[in-house]
Amino acid sequence: MEKLWGSILEILRELLPEASFKVWIKPLKYLGLKGNKILIACPNQFSLEWIKENYLPLFEEALKKQRLSLEFEFKVVEENSNNSVIQGELPYDPTRLLGRKLSGRFTFEEFVVGECNRLAYATCWALANKNPKSSIIYLCAGTGLGKSHLSQAIGNYLLKNPGKGGKICYLTAQDFTAHLVRALRQDRLDEFKEKLRKGLEILMLEEVHHFAGKDFTQQELALTLDYLYDAGKIVVFTANRPPQEIERIDDSLRSRFQAGAIVRINPPDYQTRINIIRRKAEKQGIKLNEEVIDYLAQNLRGDIRQIESAIVGLVARSSLLQEPITLSLAQELVQEITPQIPSLTKDFIIDLVCRYFKVSKEDLTSKKRQRKITFSRQVAMYLCRRFTDESLQSIGKLFNKDHATVVYAIKNINKKLSLPGPTKYQIEYLCREIEEYLQPTKLINKEEITADTGQAVSGNPRRLKSL
Ligand SMILES: Nc1ncnc2c1ncn2[C@@H]1O[C@H](COP(=O)(O)OP(=O)(O)OP(=O)(O)O)[C@@H](O)[C@H]1O
């Protein structure tokens, strides 16, 4: 069996870049065979998890090449100090990490770059390479669009490329709050603060919108941020909305969030979806035909988790049913994982606009022409056009107006959206509220704003209406 392990190592050496082989595979030790399991020793827990998460399919492929129906079992066997050379070959020291463990999958290499996320990618890459325009980044996006992936990619990169070798702290807003409360209860606040500040190279703080309403936590966080900013440390925030739209946070914390580069990740455009589907399929070891790829890209438009889940689902079904992955298999699966849009959308939009602009439903559907009412009405028309299947005529009817008024309203709002400023932010905020309401369907994305002017190029045909 030692011989078998030797042949497996040879196969892995061919499959992997030399550096990865040296760092990850070489330190493994063959322990023996137990039943149908090949026991392999990993030098530490981190190596074990990394191997499982990144290289297990390659191990299995190597076994297949040997035509053996065996499995691998990895266990940690701590090296004694004489053998610490093996540990030393690891490119980083996992003890540099404070807080949550980073996912080995979330790397720059695994991130598919497209128009929707190019700026975010470039900003994070520059930061990781110590060549940043700003050492503070605020990544902002809807769910499943890659915020955590990019922020953890920075962490993983710094762990592998030690540089100054400072500590890397990765926390969610909830973690930060929980640690703070625990430290307070145990009368160890100073210790907590010290830990977050001393020797830290980077703080990655996820989902900062969850600090809303937590006044004491906000104050403590602001102080910690001051310290880190003054010391020139890297800070990466993620959130589902820009700082100016987070409610119930103190202006002093808001301004600290706004202190660096605020970068938005947009939902993936058609070509990026195609590239993501190809990459995720490749990772699962399958090659999808073009028809299936196009179908998935046309129908899975927002959350990238949905694309991942579709691919895993297709692989599982095709292997259980012993069938190839066909268009009809893909159609069946997509129907299951994309629930129907709630039919109440237009009522939801009208309620939302009334609440947001503090106008009544009667005013919205009246002939009144005060500025506030006219503007709210135009926003409601735009949102109905964007988020429902209603025709221009029927949207007009909802507001007691004709088709031409709806056309004018949509043009006007599109114009406002093309200019930065409070009006644009207000409308974007309302769009996000509706997207959250529609979740997890999330059929609409930025690409489709242009559908209102008849220029949408891909996607759900129901949205391809011109004025
Ligand atoms: N551009 C991309 N290329 C490849 N995979 C991606 C990309 N963007 C996102 N993903 C994948 O989609 C999944 C969800 O991404 P991630 O966890 O980063 O989303 P998120 O924006 O943090 O969402 P949430 O707000 O729900 O936490 C992950 O598995 C991630 O690897």
Side-chain angles (χ1 to χ4, degrees), residues 105-106 110-113 117 141-150 206-207 276 280 303-305 308:
R105 244 177 8 94
F106 289 176
E110 286 302 316
F111 193 81
V112 176
V113 184
N117 55 31
T143 196
L145 297 184
K147 299 183 288 298
S148 305
H149 189 135
L150 272 184
E206 289 250 30
E207 301 175 348
I276 291 175
K280 302 282 171 191
D303 188 346
I304 293 165
R305 279 194 199 96
E308 293 179 325

Side-chain angles (χ1 to χ4, degrees), residues 332-359:
E332 210 177 279
L333 186 120
V334 166
Q335 285 210 339
E336 279 171 31
I337 63 174
T338 53
Q340 296 307 301
I341 307 178
S343 57
L344 292 172
T345 312
K346 64 179 187 298
D347 297 338
F348 177 83
I349 290 172
I350 291 175
D351 276 353
L352 178 72
V353 170
C354 288
R355 266 188 288 120
Y356 188 76
F357 291 112
K358 300 199 173 44
V359 296

Side-chain angles (χ1 to χ4, degrees), residues 94-101 167-171 195-198 200:
T95 57
R96 280 176 68 204
L97 192 61
L98 294 176
R100 285 189 179 222
K101 180 178 166 288
K167 290 205 186 284
I168 291 174
C169 181
Y170 177 54
L171 296 172
K195 211 170 176 184
L196 271 186
R197 296 175 189 185
K198 209 172 153 204
L200 204 70

Side-chain angles (χ1 to χ4, degrees), residues 419-464:
L419 303 167
T423 311
K424 173 178 160 72
Y425 298 136
Q426 284 177 330
I427 299 167
E428 285 181 350
Y429 170 79
L430 292 171
C431 289
R432 265 196 302 286
E433 288 291 306
I434 299 168
E435 279 168 6
E436 270 175 29
Y437 167 74
L438 293 175
Q439 270 187 25
T441 316
K442 296 195 85 189
L443 283 172
I444 319 297
N445 62 38
K446 274 209 151 184
E447 174 192 30
E448 286 156 321
I449 298 179
T450 51
D452 288 323
T453 53
Q455 289 164 3
V457 284
S458 66
N460 186 338
R462 288 178 303 150
R463 310 256 167 236
L464 298 175

Side-chain angles (χ1 to χ4, degrees), residues 42-196:
C42 304
N44 55 40
Q45 186 62 27
F46 203 84
S47 141
L48 181 142
E49 283 168 23
W50 191 278
I51 294 278
K52 278 193 176 168
E53 215 166 329
N54 294 282
Y55 297 125
L56 191 55
L58 291 188
F59 276 86
E60 287 166 352
E61 199 179 319
L63 258 187
K64 239 197 236 159
K65 285 197 176 166
Q66 299 288 314
R67 298 178 199 284
L68 288 169
S69 62
L70 295 171
E71 286 173 22
F72 283 99
E73 186 174 317
F74 298 93
K75 45 164 54 181
V76 177
V77 177
E78 299 280 352
E79 299 289 333
N80 60 33
S81 53
N82 296 340
N83 287 334
S84 59
V85 181
I86 293 173
Q87 285 269 13
E89 279 186 4
L90 287 174
Y92 58 81
D93 171 8
T95 57
R96 280 176 68 204
L97 192 61
L98 294 176
R100 285 189 179 222
K101 180 178 166 288
L102 304 178
S103 161
R105 244 177 8 94
F106 289 176
T107 60
F108 286 116
E109 293 77 24
E110 286 302 316
F111 193 81
V112 176
V113 184
E115 280 316 308
C116 55
N117 55 31
R118 195 178 302 287
L119 179 63
Y121 177 89
T123 310
C124 293
W125 175 249
L127 191 81
N129 280 282
K130 317 237 167 4
N131 186 21
K133 300 273 174 287
S134 158
S135 54
I136 306 159
I137 300 185
Y138 185 103
L139 286 174
C140 166
T143 196
L145 297 184
K147 299 183 288 298
S148 305
H149 189 135
L150 272 184
S151 81
Q152 291 193 40
I154 300 176
N156 275 320
Y157 188 89
L158 293 177
L159 280 171
K160 274 201 218 167
N161 302 277
K164 288 188 208 140
K167 290 205 186 284
I168 291 174
C169 181
Y170 177 54
L171 296 172
T172 64
Q174 290 97 327
D175 294 338
F176 184 92
T177 309
H179 284 301
L180 183 69
V181 169
R182 197 173 318 132
L184 261 179
R185 282 208 187 114
Q186 297 172 348
D187 202 14
R188 294 166 83 170
L189 194 54
D190 288 343
E191 210 177 291
F192 171 70
K193 286 188 198 167
E194 176 89 352
K195 211 170 176 184
L196 271 186

